[in-house]
Amino acid sequence: MSVHRLDAFQACESALRKRDLKQALYDAGKVVMDGVLLTLHGDAHVERRGVEVRVFRRNFFKYYEKEVFPVTLEQTLAPYIASGGGDLVEIGYQLTVNLTADFAGIDRPQRTAQETERLIAITKKLSEGATMVHSTRDKAELEAEVGAALTALDSEFLQASVVRREALLRAVAAGEIADTESPRDVLTVILQARDELQMDHPQLVREIGFYMQAGAHSTANSVIHALHEIEQWAGDDADRWARLGDPIFVQHCVHESLRLHPASPEAWRTATCPMHVGADDVATGARIELDLFQANRDKSVFGADSEIFDPDRAVPSNVLRSGLTFGIGLHTCLGRELDGGVVAKKGADIESCQFGIVTLIVIRLLALGARTMPDDPPQPDTKTTRPNWGRFPVTFTKV
Ligand code: HEM
């Protein structure tokens, strides 16, 4: 099989938009990723996305960001504030697993720390499974663990979530309750469209498992990268720390960090017919590797200093500040506006801004004075070749 690697911004962007290139990064992670939205192609993808996108609307993100998430944020941070700090990898997962459970449609009836821990353990394992292509672990051993995590997700969380939603949907159909009383999440819209989608139960488990890990890991990791970049950028400069009191500026910092640290540093596609990609003619079955990490540092787009963190960077009007971090084209991230918000202009009215979940978490952490500790420095995650954090201990200096 021939492999073509692209790392220029324009070439990667145009490849991501090509309908005849099909997802290929998750072939190794089939145990969880087989047949889920991100790996579907053509009509099947359009149909599934058309159903699931109903959950991901701007007005709902605004409501979620202003009404639902602040409560989760404070409840999750409370014990860490009491103890003066904690590991941001752990805190990040606790926050984001609640976020993805809300959107995926996984109920947490007990609302206990133990229940959250269980869901985190399952989600982390599913995430390891999805990104198996970059894993440094024994594949067969990992596959068995991921299979067990899917079974646990199903028996401990999903089955009860399905039963509750089916009862609510029956009550809506019978006119006993209003439509607005059924939950707004992916599981509910799939159950509503079950005849249309023809999804069997094992596929439903994988789909919901995919959602749990798609949002949780990338959100948590993006928060940590942003905080790390901000701390290094501000250093001992009081003026820079003062600028971080402006939430719009923090949002720009977050998007600059998202550009430098795409959660998925590369995208892979397979050509479904002979075609022209970048400067190459490629044959059917060829693999196209898109180096998003390098594309997001393309000097012709982001400037000669593209490698450095500059929250004041000017970017061309047709390019997102976060570059290709949320993808583009057919598989564009459905959580992009939820996590990234809508990038605000300097001086915009704060009340009407939608900052995005990553920025909201970073704003709160900065307000708590979250700082790394020289005697307990952050450690990379050694279980993957992806640039993820394994531990990121911080102390809250303003508590
Ligand atoms: C900073 C956080 C996030 C980043 C960087 C990110 C990044 C991405 C990227 C790059 C893709 C496309 C992959 C490709 O083209 O091969 C994607 C797809 C997707 N993301 Fe995200 N994501 C984030 C958060 C979320 C959240 C919070 C959710 C849901 C609650 C989510 C749901 C999805 C879904 C459903 C897809 C598949 C879309 C499709 O195939 O049509 N993501 N994401």
Side-chain angles (χ1 to χ4, degrees):
M1 184 205 358
S2 61
V3 176
H4 303 257
R5 200 163 169 91
L6 307 180
D7 61 7
F9 185 88
Q10 306 296 358
C12 289
E13 186 191 25
S14 103
L16 286 171
R17 291 185 189 280
K18 281 194 195 304
R19 294 189 171 273
D20 296 327
L21 286 179
K22 141 173 174 264
Q23 181 63 255
L25 190 62
Y26 302 97
D27 296 355
K30 264 193 163 48
V31 58
V32 54
M33 298 299 276
D34 197 22
V36 307
L37 179 67
L38 186 56
T39 59
L40 286 180
H41 188 65
D43 292 346
H45 175 259
V46 171
E47 185 181 41
R48 179 95 54 89
R49 189 167 163 116
V51 168
E52 295 176 358
V53 77
R54 292 171 199 160
V55 181
F56 296 86
R57 300 259 190 252
R58 197 174 275 184
N59 63 344
F60 187 59
F61 292 161
K62 244 186 166 163
Y63 159 77
Y64 190 83
E65 166 169 327
K66 297 217 184 299
E67 307 291 332
V68 182
F69 193 69
V71 180
T72 306
L73 184 60
E74 288 319 308
Q75 279 175 353
T76 308
L77 287 176
Y80 297 99
I81 294 175
S83 64
D87 179 2
L88 266 195
V89 174
E90 190 183 297
I91 300 174
Y93 256 100
Q94 290 196 3
L95 283 169
T96 58
V97 92
N98 277 299
L99 168 88
T100 47
D102 283 341
F103 277 82
I106 287 295
D107 293 336
R108 287 88 74 214
Q110 296 163 24
R111 294 273 164 182
T112 58
Q114 226 176 359
E115 186 188 51
T116 307
E117 282 310 321
R118 185 72 190 122
L119 202 50
I120 290 175
I122 292 172
T123 304
K124 279 190 171 171
K125 194 50 71 187
L126 298 179
S127 178
E128 242 188 294
T131 56
M132 208 170 294
V133 65
H134 292 136
S135 177
T136 53
R137 294 200 41 211
D138 178 76
K139 300 274 184 289
E141 196 178 272
L142 182 53
E143 252 176 27
E145 290 172 12
V146 176
L150 280 172
T151 306
L153 176 72
D154 186 29
S155 60
E156 295 173 39
F157 293 95
L158 182 61
Q159 288 173 17
S161 302
V162 170
V163 168
R164 187 171 83 83
R165 278 160 187 73
E166 282 178 338
L168 286 167
L169 291 175
R170 275 196 302 274
V172 171
E176 291 158 19
I177 60 169
D179 185 30
T180 46
E181 285 184 54
S182 61
R184 182 159 175 168
D185 51 46
V186 174
L187 180 56
T188 303
V189 294
I190 291 177
L191 295 174
Q192 275 169 326
R194 212 159 198 180
D195 295 342
E196 199 183 321
L197 292 179
Q198 303 268 312
M199 197 186 284
D200 63 17
H201 193 71
Q203 184 62 63
L204 180 66
V205 180
R206 286 196 296 278
E207 187 74 357
I208 298 301
F210 153 66
Y211 268 93
M212 284 304 300
Q213 64 78 36
H217 173 76
S218 48
T219 312
N221 222 41
S222 300
V223 166
I224 303 175
H225 280 304
L227 199 81
H228 188 233
E229 289 289 359
I230 287 172
E231 191 179 3
Q232 286 185 319
W233 171 81
D236 295 328
D237 188 332
D239 291 341
R240 287 189 169 186
W241 283 111
R243 289 188 70 192
L244 290 159
D246 171 7
I248 294 179
F249 181 66
V250 177
Q251 191 192 40
H252 291 190
C253 290
V254 164
H255 282 253
E256 174 71 347
S257 172
L258 283 165
R259 177 183 71 82
L260 289 170
H261 307 284
S264 185
E266 47 187 27
W268 288 8
R269 298 290 192 260
T270 304
T272 59
C273 58
M275 63 173 86
H276 198 68
V277 182
D280 302 338
D281 285 319
V282 306
T284 305
R287 186 164 81 209
I288 321 295
E289 296 183 0
L290 310 173
D291 187 337
L292 304 180
F293 184 88
Q294 287 306 334
N296 275 359
R297 291 162 186 241
D298 186 330
K299 292 191 179 5
S300 68
V301 177
F302 297 101
D305 64 348
S306 63
E307 301 279 339
I308 66 157
F309 174 82
D310 174 10
D312 295 313
R313 178 179 307 285
V315 297
S317 59
N318 59 346
V319 171
L320 295 173
R321 281 181 172 274
S322 52
L324 296 174
T325 288
F326 290 104
I328 214 145
L330 311 177
H331 291 285
T332 303
C333 177
L334 284 179
R336 188 183 98 191
E337 280 197 11
L338 171 68
D339 263 9
V342 180
V343 178
K345 293 210 166 63
K346 282 181 190 160
D349 170 31
I350 304 284
E351 285 308 309
S352 62
C353 290
Q354 191 212 324
F355 288 111
I357 298 297
V358 176
T359 299
L360 284 187
I361 301 174
V362 173
I363 288 173
R364 187 69 182 108
L365 291 171
L366 288 173
L368 290 167
R371 301 284 185 277
T372 51
M373 296 172 282
D375 55 346
D376 190 7
Q379 303 293 335
D381 184 351
T382 52
K383 291 198 296 300
T384 173
T385 55
R386 289 189 169 206
N388 298 340
W389 296 103
R391 281 185 76 240
F392 199 95
V394 293
T395 174
F396 294 148
T397 58
K398 292 191 188 161
V399 174

